[in-house]
């Protein structure tokens, strides 16, 4: 796992102010909740008293209540109430839970996993134009798979495996019929064309200037029939987003680390442009993306996962794969990931002191959200806390791929 990055952890609509949401992300148990005003809070889920999980607790006003003994914790992580000690009890300052910076962007909740920084020093949530400027209707679903996120990402950075992995299940015939069959043969030639498309041509990889996004375009085609070709554009943005676009479909995946053995796949499927002129009612246009998500969860994705579960080593890194030229996107991802890991491990230079004003006093730092992304309040950026104090960022653990 790459430290000092924003990781999407769940859909924003899943976090409520009447019930906490317990999750496991980045090897840690966390709990998400909203206060009465709707501000988002993300905290460590372990109650420091006796280790109960706050995700199993209740909401009490602007506090979360431990399910074991009723201890209540505020958005700043401090314990506010200990019922066994009475209303006038002096509560130790050390009795608190860690709190993590969070943002709501693109319909998702993002958690900062990295070193502790003032809110103004946090970078913006990274996403390419394919996501930020996308105005299509979509449906989103998430599920957990028992594979490391690096292998999961690799499986979506190339598509020449599909001919061999997705060929036997009876439900795949829907793909053959609708996506690969020709109208002149009523789609019945779809499976033949699907299995014949094995070659990758016209492949090109580009890296954006800031070094967080890679784009890969290529044609997946039948060698002796250039008319049987699907053009792909795959966009990857660190730490874990893969956007896939073809003439037939468009998706965005976030492959979020749960721990070194499990990954949460948050998949967004966009509406089909082909049916937009026919289905003008929005709820009806969302039905097909929903159907595609269920097909992906129960048919297509398990076929990939069965392969990934038996890959060795379990975590991908430099030197463990023998890439071929059409794997340039995979190779670029591995090398850039290694660099980001090295950069995160290097000592961080302190921010320069502000210039003194004419009277010798220092200029105050303005409280803005420019560094945290537009549309996000300072309170939400700091994990739901108001003014005063600072938030603790999630403490990075050493990535297994970086260990000898």
């Amino acid at each position: 796992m790459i430290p000092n990055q924003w990781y999407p952890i769940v859909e924003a609509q899943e976090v409520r102010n009447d019930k906490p949401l317990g999750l496991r992300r980045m090897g840690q148990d966390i709990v998400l909740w909203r206060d009465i005003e709707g501000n988002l809070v993300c905290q460590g889920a372990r109650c420091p008293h006796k280790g109960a999980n706050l995700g199993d607790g209740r909401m009490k006003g602007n506090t979360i209540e431990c399910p074991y003994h009723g201890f209540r914790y505020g958005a700043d992580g401090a314990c506010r109430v200990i019922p066994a000690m009475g209303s006038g009890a002096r509560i130790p300052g050390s009795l608190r839970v860690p709190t993590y910076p969070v943002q709501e962007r693109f319909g998702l909740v993002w958690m900062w996993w990295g070193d502790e920084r003032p809110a103004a020093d946090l970078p913006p949530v990274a996403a390419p134009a394919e996501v930020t400027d996308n105005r299509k209707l979509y449906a989103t679903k998430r599920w957990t798979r028992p594979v490391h996120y690096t292998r999961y990402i690799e499986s979506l950075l190339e598509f020449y495996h599909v001919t061999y992995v997705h060929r036997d299940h009876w439900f795949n015939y829907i793909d053959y019929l609708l996506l690969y069959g020709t109208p002149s043969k009523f789609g019945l030639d779809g499976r033949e064309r699907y299995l014949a498309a094995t070659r990758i041509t016209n492949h090109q990889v580009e890296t954006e200037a800031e070094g967080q996004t890679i784009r890969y375009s290529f044609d997946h085609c039948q060698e002796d029939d250039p008319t049987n070709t699907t053009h792909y554009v795959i966009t990857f943005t660190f730490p874990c987003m893969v956007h896939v676009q073809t003439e037939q479909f468009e998706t965005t995946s976030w492959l979020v680390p749960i721990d070194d053995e499990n990954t949460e796949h948050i998949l967004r499927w966009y509406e089909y442009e082909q049916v937009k002129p026919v289905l003008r009612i929005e709820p009806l246009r969302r039905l097909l993306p929903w159907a595609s998500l269920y097909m992906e969860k129960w048919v297509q994705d398990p076929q990939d996962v069965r392969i990934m579960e038996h890959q060795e080593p379990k975590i991908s890194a430099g030197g463990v794969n023998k890439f071929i030229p059409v794997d340039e996107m995979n190779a670029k991802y591995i090398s850039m990931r290694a660099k980001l890991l090295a950069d995160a491990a290097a000592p961080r230079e302190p921010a320069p002191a502000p210039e003194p004003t004419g009277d010798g006093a220092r200029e105050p730092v303005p409280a803005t959200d420019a560094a945290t992304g537009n549309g996000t309040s300072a309170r939400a950026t700091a994990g739901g806390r108001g003014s005063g104090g600072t938030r603790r960022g999630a403490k990075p653990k050493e990535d297994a791929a970086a260990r000898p």
Side-chain angles (χ1 to χ4, degrees):
M1 290 169 268
I2 306 171
N4 299 333
Q5 299 277 338
W6 288 102
Y7 284 86
I9 53 178
V10 74
E11 284 191 84
Q13 65 182 10
E14 295 187 52
V15 187
R16 298 154 38 183
N17 63 4
D18 61 344
K19 184 179 180 181
L21 175 64
L23 298 170
R24 184 169 177 79
R25 297 289 185 269
M26 320 305 293
Q28 303 170 88
D29 290 323
I30 59 175
V31 61
L32 292 163
W33 52 280
R34 295 184 188 274
D35 65 15
I36 295 173
E37 291 77 32
N39 297 305
L40 185 66
V41 182
C42 179
Q43 298 175 320
R46 180 186 177 275
C47 176
H49 175 223
K50 290 191 176 179
N53 193 306
L54 296 175
D56 299 325
R58 306 173 185 86
M59 297 308 306
K60 294 289 185 179
N62 280 339
T63 64
I64 183 172
E65 182 184 80
C66 175
Y68 203 2
H69 300 96
F71 287 34
R72 297 184 198 171
Y73 299 91
D76 62 353
C79 184
R80 303 288 176 79
V81 176
I82 301 178
M85 294 175 61
S87 58
R90 181 181 180 276
I91 300 175
S94 60
L95 199 59
R96 59 187 304 119
V97 293
T99 56
Y100 307 128
V102 283
Q103 290 192 34
E104 297 183 66
R105 297 292 305 276
F106 321 121
L108 304 175
V109 174
W110 301 73
M111 181 181 81
W112 173 256
W113 191 74
D115 55 22
E116 298 180 26
R117 303 183 187 182
D121 288 349
L122 292 172
V125 172
E130 287 85 348
V131 173
T132 60
D133 299 340
N134 202 317
R135 297 296 178 261
K136 293 181 181 177
L137 297 177
Y138 59 79
T140 306
K141 193 172 183 59
R142 65 183 177 93
W143 55 81
T144 301
R145 299 299 190 210
V147 296
H148 192 265
Y149 82 104
T150 54
R151 290 301 193 185
Y152 220 147
I153 286 173
E154 283 185 338
S155 75
L156 290 175
L157 296 186
E158 50 86 3
F159 272 75
Y160 66 92
H161 70 269
V162 300
T163 305
Y164 306 96
V165 178
H166 306 298
R167 64 191 302 164
D168 295 325
H169 196 285
W170 64 269
F171 210 79
N172 291 134
Y173 278 85
I174 295 178
D175 267 357
Y176 305 151
L177 181 69
L178 299 178
L179 299 182
Y180 296 91
T182 56
S184 62
K185 296 187 178 180
F186 305 101
L188 298 178
D189 58 341
R191 186 173 190 273
E192 177 185 348
R193 289 167 57 83
Y194 183 90
L195 298 180
T198 60
R199 188 178 181 188
I200 300 297
T201 61
N202 303 321
H203 49 97
Q204 183 176 0
V205 174
E206 297 177 351
T207 305
E208 288 194 353
E210 78 280 2
Q212 290 279 326
T213 295
I214 319 168
R215 282 190 177 82
Y216 181 34
S217 62
F218 60 91
D219 293 323
H220 190 196
C221 66
Q222 180 177 337
E223 187 168 4
D224 58 353
D225 182 5
T227 65
N228 183 15
T229 298
T230 300
H231 182 70
Y232 284 82
V233 178
I234 299 179
T235 305
F236 177 79
T237 296
F238 281 96
C240 60
M241 190 219 78
V242 183
H243 184 87
V244 179
Q245 187 170 13
T246 74
E247 292 180 0
Q248 293 95 347
F249 67 91
E250 184 176 7
T251 63
T252 305
S253 292
W254 289 273
L255 294 313
V256 189
I258 295 177
D259 49 38
D260 278 347
E261 287 79 39
N262 300 279
T263 299
E264 189 79 359
H265 187 173
I266 303 174
L267 177 59
R268 178 165 294 173
W269 203 292
Y270 299 89
E271 64 179 319
Y272 292 90
E273 288 289 329
Q274 305 93 310
V275 302
K276 191 173 180 179
V278 180
L279 296 178
R280 297 192 176 275
I281 303 174
E282 287 192 5
L284 292 178
R285 296 203 333 249
R286 291 184 192 272
L287 287 178
L288 286 177
W290 270 115
S292 298
L293 286 174
Y294 277 94
M295 180 177 173
E296 186 69 22
K297 178 180 179 180
W298 298 110
V299 180
Q300 303 280 51
D301 193 63
Q303 294 171 358
D304 286 317
V305 171
R306 278 195 293 271
I307 302 294
M308 289 186 278
E309 283 183 293
H310 295 97
Q311 283 183 284
E312 292 293 343
K314 300 300 183 185
I315 301 174
S316 188
V320 306
N321 305 300
K322 299 294 184 183
F323 288 132
I324 60 176
V326 296
D327 291 321
E328 185 181 358
M329 177 73 152
N330 269 233
K332 178 71 73 172
Y333 161 67
I334 292 297
S335 64
M336 290 176 65
R337 178 174 178 268
K339 182 180 185 304
L340 288 171
L341 284 168
D343 290 347
R348 184 166 172 259
E349 294 184 6
E355 293 292 330
T357 59
D359 59 359
R362 291 186 173 181
E363 287 282 357
V365 179
T368 69
D369 64 352
T372 58
N374 53 11
T376 304
S377 69
R379 176 169 180 151
T381 302
R385 185 178 180 180
S387 61
T390 57
R391 278 283 188 183
R392 287 188 61 196
K395 185 177 181 180
K397 294 184 179 180
E398 182 184 9
D399 192 289
R403 294 195 294 264

